[in-house]
Amino acid sequence: MANPTHLGFQDAMSPLMEELLYFHDHTLMILILISSLVFYTISALLLQKLYHSNTSDVQEVEMVWTILPAIVLISIALPSLRALYLMDETNNPCLTIKATGHQWYWSYEYTDFSTVEFDSYMTPPQDLSPGHLRLLEVDHRMITPMNSTIRMLITAEDVLHSWAIPSIGTKMDAVPGRLNQVMITLTNPGVFYGQCSEICGANHSFMPIVMETTPLNHFQLWLEDHTTS
């Protein structure tokens, strides 16, 4: 969970987010090295009085500054393609959940169970319990089992929305009349917060997303309570 003085990304809570953080750090290190080299070269040209006219017309130097950028681009492209592949990979899901965006709340439907569906509204500030987060807590959390592959089907009923949880590296647009799919795998229990990331009207800031991941036996107990009620 981010805090007011937080810099950078939230802690990765899914294998996909760990891969995205690795790619970010990898690319940022390359940018720092290139920026340092360019800054050193400019400083040397400005401060150094000696100039070798022969070095400006050497084929070996031209080969280096042609091949080196190609190597840098390949070192960035390969991890990028790996991350894109992992984001689009579809395994056999253990559970399918359909999230529908409304103005201004989310509704969830566990499609493997015909009776498990509910709406999720933001909890008003006056009704918050101690420890709950203002503008981020909801009355009904989306409960998921840990160590399981979950398929999210995301759509909208009225206008464009976006289902996003930063700590698990998931962001998918909710488009009326269209089903978008995203796969989620969580290895640790916890409560993960997100918000609608597409401007969708006057109360766009007041439709949070809360996903609670629990061990499988706790999820089964929650499921039994909701299928019998």
Side-chain angles (χ1 to χ4, degrees):
M1 182 62 202
N3 55 67
T5 59
H6 193 104
L7 295 177
F9 293 99
Q10 299 182 24
D11 293 337
M13 300 306 296
S14 69
L16 174 60
M17 190 58 185
E18 291 178 359
E19 191 70 26
L20 294 176
L21 284 180
Y22 163 76
F23 174 66
H24 170 266
D25 296 340
H26 170 75
T27 306
L28 193 61
M29 183 58 65
I30 294 176
L31 292 177
I32 291 174
L33 293 175
I34 293 175
S35 301
S36 301
L37 178 62
V38 172
F39 178 77
Y40 169 78
T41 304
I42 294 175
S43 301
L45 290 174
L46 293 176
L47 300 177
Q48 196 173 26
K49 297 181 179 180
L50 298 178
Y51 176 72
H52 300 281
S53 59
N54 293 333
T55 59
S56 62
D57 193 22
V58 179
Q59 291 185 354
E60 289 78 3
V61 176
E62 294 179 358
M63 290 180 62
V64 169
W65 71 42
T66 301
I67 295 175
L68 192 59
I71 296 175
V72 171
L73 291 176
I74 291 174
S75 66
I76 294 176
L78 292 180
S80 175
L81 293 175
R82 172 182 169 84
L84 286 173
Y85 175 77
L86 291 176
M87 292 174 68
D88 290 336
E89 186 178 10
T90 303
N91 297 321
N92 294 325
C94 302
L95 181 67
T96 299
I97 303 175
K98 181 182 177 183
T100 305
H102 309 267
Q103 289 183 311
W104 288 271
Y105 65 95
W106 294 95
S107 61
Y108 298 100
E109 178 184 349
Y110 290 66
T111 58
D112 300 301
F113 310 94
S114 58
T115 59
V116 183
E117 54 182 309
F118 53 87
D119 297 330
S120 180
Y121 291 87
M122 185 193 76
T123 303
Q126 63 272 17
D127 297 336
L128 287 174
S129 302
H132 285 180
L133 300 173
R134 178 179 173 271
L135 301 183
L136 287 177
E137 193 56 61
V138 297
D139 55 355
H140 293 94
R141 294 176 173 178
M142 187 184 79
I143 310 297
T144 59
M146 58 182 290
N147 294 325
S148 301
T149 301
I150 302 165
R151 175 172 58 189
M152 292 294 304
L153 301 177
I154 301 169
T155 186
E157 189 179 64
D158 35 44
V159 298
L160 291 176
H161 300 278
S162 184
W163 198 86
I165 301 180
S167 59
I168 64 174
T170 298
K171 182 179 186 295
M172 182 59 68
D173 288 340
V175 183
R178 177 176 177 178
L179 276 179
N180 288 329
Q181 176 178 277
V182 62
M183 306 297 291
I184 299 174
T185 302
L186 297 172
T187 56
N188 298 308
V191 180
F192 311 109
Y193 295 90
Q195 289 178 304
C196 177
S197 297
E198 189 76 41
I199 297 177
C200 56
N203 292 330
H204 158 69
S205 301
F206 307 107
M207 49 181 305
I209 302 162
V210 182
M211 181 171 65
E212 182 176 351
T213 302
T214 64
L216 183 58
N217 56 342
H218 292 180
F219 175 75
Q220 289 175 338
L221 293 175
W222 176 85
L223 203 57
E224 291 175 0
D225 292 338
H226 282 70
T227 51
T228 55
S229 59

